[in-house]
Amino acid sequence: MRLNKFISESGITSRRKAEELILQGRVTVNNKTITTLAFNVDPEKDIVALDGERIRRKKKLYFLLNKPSGYISTTDDERGRRTVLDLIPVREKLFPVGRLDADTTGVLLLTNDGDFANQLLHPRNKIIRVYEAKLDKELEEKDAERLVKGILLDKRKSKFEKVYFDKPKDRTRVTVECVEGRNHFVKRMFALLGYEVKKLNRKSFAGIEANIPVGSYRELTIAEIKKLYQHNV
């Protein structure tokens, strides 16, 4: 692992700031000062220190939360509103992988692994998100086709990968699949065609489903973490 990455993953500072510390001669590996940015370390064997104090690699954490309505997807809020971190009482600093609106429920991943989060959110990886939407009126077939074919949003063509009905007799309940991570994407897409989303639930993210009660959380399994990493090869 690159030395700067090891330092940033310890939670001390960012990778860019870690590079500055290395160039300043403040970092040692096995008691030897290192000023080469491309230097690699073995996280399990090498002793890395900053200003003489050993840096220990933090444990990476990965959680699945079945988000309830009424919580915002940020680490803190200046207005004192409840955040998703209030639902996961751990000492380590976590952050959500992307965001869900306060009134949107369902799958939300939280982690302290920045690289993992960035890869999942990068547009090139086209991570599938599945949403269940309750509309204010029945979705017409022609509009469903338009949503899959593509419409202009933010001056560029945007679309759902799939649109289908869990209950064909109730066309106000719609499930959509998309790879977009823009804010309010599902709601805005429907709004462009004259529909209001009354309720929105994210059923799955990258194949991970909320198989736990609303408001509860659990750690991701090793198999699930490996599956998520495979999305980013």
Side-chain angles (χ1 to χ4, degrees):
M1 177 185 290
R2 285 287 182 92
L3 178 57
N4 62 342
K5 183 178 181 181
F6 176 89
I7 296 172
S8 67
E9 288 193 354
S10 71
I12 292 176
T13 188
S14 66
R15 195 177 300 191
R16 180 174 296 181
K17 181 63 176 179
E19 292 178 350
E20 294 178 10
L21 296 174
I22 295 169
L23 293 174
Q24 292 168 5
R26 297 171 60 185
V27 177
T28 61
V29 177
N30 301 325
N31 295 318
K32 181 181 178 180
T33 300
I34 303 297
T35 57
T36 305
L37 296 180
F39 192 84
N40 288 315
V41 297
D42 183 335
E44 305 301 325
K45 297 180 180 180
D46 292 328
I47 299 176
V48 181
L50 171 64
D51 296 334
E53 185 174 346
R54 184 172 182 178
I55 300 173
R56 297 186 182 278
R57 192 181 182 193
K58 67 182 179 182
K59 178 184 177 182
K60 293 183 179 180
L61 300 173
Y62 309 88
F63 288 97
L64 162 66
L65 171 69
N66 191 347
K67 179 187 172 299
S69 180
Y71 289 80
I72 60 174
S73 300
T74 58
T75 56
D76 53 51
D77 182 61
E78 60 185 17
R79 293 164 55 185
R81 292 175 295 179
R82 297 179 298 181
T83 78
V84 290
L85 295 186
D86 294 330
L87 299 168
I88 306 182
V90 298
R91 292 184 178 181
E92 290 80 359
K93 185 177 181 180
L94 302 174
F95 51 87
V97 180
R99 292 189 177 188
L100 291 179
D101 294 340
D103 60 350
T104 299
T105 60
V107 175
L108 183 66
L109 303 182
L110 296 100
T111 185
N112 59 355
D113 185 344
D115 290 337
F116 172 80
N118 290 335
Q119 288 179 355
L120 282 176
L121 295 174
H122 199 289
R124 71 167 177 266
N125 292 315
K126 297 183 178 180
I127 299 299
I128 291 290
R129 299 132 163 103
V130 181
Y131 292 90
E132 299 169 322
K134 176 68 170 69
L135 305 179
D136 63 335
K137 58 185 177 182
E138 292 191 346
L139 179 63
E140 296 184 25
E141 188 63 38
K142 63 180 180 62
D143 288 333
E145 292 175 357
R146 289 179 65 190
L147 289 166
V148 173
K149 185 177 180 180
I151 58 179
L152 284 180
L153 177 66
D154 298 331
K155 297 182 179 181
R156 62 187 172 101
K157 187 176 181 180
S158 306
K159 67 187 185 74
F160 293 149
E161 302 302 306
K162 293 181 181 180
V163 175
Y164 49 92
F165 303 93
D166 291 331
K167 298 180 180 179
K169 292 184 178 180
D170 184 2
R171 297 179 69 88
T172 65
R173 297 184 179 276
V174 187
T175 297
V176 302
E177 295 184 10
C178 61
V179 296
E180 285 275 4
R182 280 179 281 172
N183 287 344
H184 318 299
F185 179 72
V186 174
K187 293 179 180 179
R188 294 170 65 204
M189 288 285 284
F190 278 115
L192 282 175
L193 300 184
Y195 298 88
E196 180 185 354
V197 176
K198 307 297 288 187
K199 290 184 180 181
L200 189 63
N201 178 71
R202 185 154 70 185
K203 183 179 180 180
S204 72
F205 179 85
I208 303 296
E209 296 192 355
N211 53 0
I212 51 178
V214 175
S216 61
Y217 70 95
R218 66 170 175 81
E219 288 193 60
L220 293 178
T221 65
I222 293 177
E224 287 172 328
I225 296 169
K226 287 182 177 180
K227 179 181 177 181
L228 289 169
Y229 267 114
Q230 288 172 359
H231 280 283
N232 310 308
V233 175

